[in-house]
Every structure is written in C-alpha cells, then in structure tokens.
Amino acid sequence: MDLPAIDVEVVPEKFEDVKVEGPSFPCDLFDTEVVHKIAQALLPGLASACVDNTTGGLFRSPASVAVDIRKEMVEHLTQRSHSFVAESVILEGSADTEVSEHPFDIISDFVDDFASSKRNLFSRVSGWLLSERREDRIDDFVQEMEINGFWLLDRREAVAQTLLKNVDFKNAFHCNMNFGSAEELDEHNPNCGFRSINCMNEGCNSSFCAAHMEKHDSICPFKIIPCEQHCSESLMRREMDRHCITVCPMKLVNCHFYSIGCQSTVPHCMVEQHQSDNLDSHLLYVLQVTHKDVSAEDLKRRVEQLKELSPIELAEAKNVRSLTSKVKNLESTLGPLEVTVPKTENKENTETENNENTEVTVPKIENKENTETENKRNREVIVPKTENEESKENTETENKENTEINVSETENKEHIPVEAEH
C-alpha cells in the first residue's frame, strides 16, 4: 500500500490556557533553529514506529500504517509535553536521573518512547539479531516519505512549535509575551529577540533567531575576517587555514641556513631581512663546516676579512650552497687561513706537568732507599750473648794469648845459643 498522495495536516491538541480579562495577543515567535531540529527528528521517529509495528507481517507494510501511527504519535507527544513539568519535578527528586532542559533532548526522548511502544514481539526479537537490516529499512522508509511528500517539513515545524512551547517552561527558546492589541504586537515583532533573520554574509543561507546573531556571526564560514597571522589580507573564515599555511606572507618558515646551524624561524616576508641582519653568524656557520678544527676566534677573524673583501657579494647569497661557493672563491683570493697555534704552549704545559709528576715520584725512590737501609741496620743488630758463650770466648782468648806467649819464649830460646857462640 502506497502513502496517501494528499497529506492531511495533523495539529496537536491545545489545552485551554487560563483566561485573562480582555483580548490577548501573544507573540508566537520561537527559536527557529531548535524548531527546525525538532521537526527533523519527527520523521525518523515515525519511520521507526511504522517499521517495528509491521515487522513480520505478511499483509501490512510501513506505508499502510503511517497515517494512523502519525496521529497516535502527535497525540502522545502532546500529552507528554503537557505533563513534562510535573514529570521533571518528580525526576529532579531522584538522585540517579539526569534531566536535560534542552527542548530537543526532551522531545527526542518522547519520540523514542513512542517508537518503542509500537514494537511488536517479532520486531523485538529480530531487532537484536538483525539490527543493521532494521536500520536500513528505517532509512529507506524515511526517503520514501520525503519523496512522496508525506508529512512536509512546514507541518512538522508547526507541531514542533507547540511541543517546544509546552516543555520550555523557562522561556529560553520562545517568546511568552502577550499584548492587549494587535498594534502593540506589530510593534513588538520587529524587535523580538526570537524573530527570524537571515545571515548577511555573502554565500551563507543560514536562518536563525535574532538572539543568536552574535553566536552565528562568530562561527559563520562565510564571514570576511582579517588574517589570523596579521598580514594585510582579509578573507572568508572557511579559507583561513589554507591561506595561513600556503600563501600568507606572515607564515613562519625556517631560516635558509637551518641545516648548518641557524635555528631561527621567521615570517616568510622577513627572510631577506633576517639574512642581512645575521650575515656574520651565517658566515661563521659556513666556515665551521669547511674548517672543522679551527678555533672560533680564528674563524671570526676570517669572517671580518671576507666582509672587508666583498660585502655586497656575500649579502647576495640566499642559501647555504650559494654562500659556501662565494666563501670558497673569496678564500682563494685571501690565501690560507691564518691559525694561531696554541699547541706549543700546550706542549710546554704538558712537559711541565710531566716533570712535576716525575718529581713527585722521586720521594718514593728515597723512601725505598731509606727502607732498605733500615732493613740492613736491623740485620746488623747484635744479639745478646749468654754467660756460657761469654766464658767460652774468654777461655779461647786466654788460650790464644798463652799460645802467643809460648811462641815468643821459644823464639828467645833460639836466639840465646847463637849469642853464646859468638
């Protein structure tokens, strides 16, 4: 069964307000952005209810029940919206329940509850097993209703306005003012904060209430704004990122001599000024590459020589390769680099240190000799003799003396006869 060709307008039931004396002209302006968002959520909710209600049926299709279920849905949402204030008071008393105050969240919960209530037994079982197929069927039915013009957007927005007014008890998304005459209402409408206006930025088709003008203006992709990097250009917000990373003259770039030591990042438009102001340091970086073992003081003197010889030619070099080439050409004219050799001093200092170290080791030799002398003396210490040893030595000495006396007497006896003979 196809959807009806002519859509029948369904207007939610309105509960009578408290009567006031005299005529009343209320302002019926709403936050159009929220109203449109709620209206967009109604059609998928209806499709979900129709698909789940006819799942497994052989003679029923979602289109065959769309009209009846839509009527039930509008009545359900209207009843829930009127009782929302009482429900919210009860829910606020529960510590485990969080209650949203945004109308879209509130009405979306109402729609989900209604769709769940229309699910039959077969859809409840198959919903767990065939969830992807179910979602596809719902999307297909939403497209079918849109193509056939079933429940057009403007009629859904009329329902959404009533629902929003019922749940927005803080009057944050609609105007609740009443006037005594139509003239007063006409004077109010052009100045109401909920009047609908269109974005004035060229290319933007957004529509919103006047109260959100500043919010939209701060994010509108078509608004012309000055460059975020403070160049002279003004362009659309949506083109800002591409401009800043591609053609903006104030984008930060590395110095052309970054590879040999210059770690500066400068705006693209100030690269030449940076190279001119830092020519000395760039020359020093180049010389450090070509003369690796030379001191910084010698290289600084070489920098001064190169600048004196051809400052203009060096200033024209824009990158490492060109500056290195010019430096080599100028050095061939200047001749070999004069290097101060602090190596002799270092050698003398080394020799002095070695001599000091030698002198330090000498006392060790003297100490060694003193040790040997002491050891020798210790070996020469006379061991005290016992009494027997002393008496033995005395006896030997006496015997030796007696022997010497006997020898002398014998010699005297030999000489006596000779004298007698004479």
Side-chain angles (χ1 to χ4, degrees), residues 46-60:
L46 175 62
S48 177
C50 293
V51 169
D52 289 340
N53 187 253
T54 57
T55 299
L58 298 177
F59 305 103
R60 301 173 67 202

Side-chain angles (χ1 to χ4, degrees), residues 335-398:
L337 176 63
E338 297 179 0
V339 180
T340 56
V341 184
K343 294 182 180 179
T344 304
E345 295 179 359
N346 293 336
K347 185 176 180 181
E348 291 177 355
N349 293 334
T350 303
E351 291 178 353
T352 304
E353 291 178 357
N354 292 335
N355 292 334
E356 290 177 354
N357 292 333
T358 303
E359 292 175 358
V360 169
T361 57
V362 169
K364 294 182 181 179
I365 298 172
E366 294 177 357
N367 292 335
K368 185 176 180 181
E369 293 176 353
N370 293 334
T371 303
E372 292 177 353
T373 303
E374 290 178 358
N375 292 335
K376 186 175 180 181
R377 289 177 181 176
N378 291 333
R379 289 195 298 269
E380 293 177 355
V381 173
I382 299 173
V383 180
K385 299 178 180 180
T386 61
E387 294 179 356
N388 294 331
E389 289 176 349
E390 289 180 356
S391 60
K392 185 177 180 181
E393 287 180 358
N394 293 333
T395 304
E396 290 177 355
T397 303
E398 290 177 356

Side-chain angles (χ1 to χ4, degrees), residues 83-95:
S83 62
F84 170 73
V85 176
E87 290 180 5
S88 62
V89 172
I90 296 173
L91 292 175
E92 285 179 358
S94 176

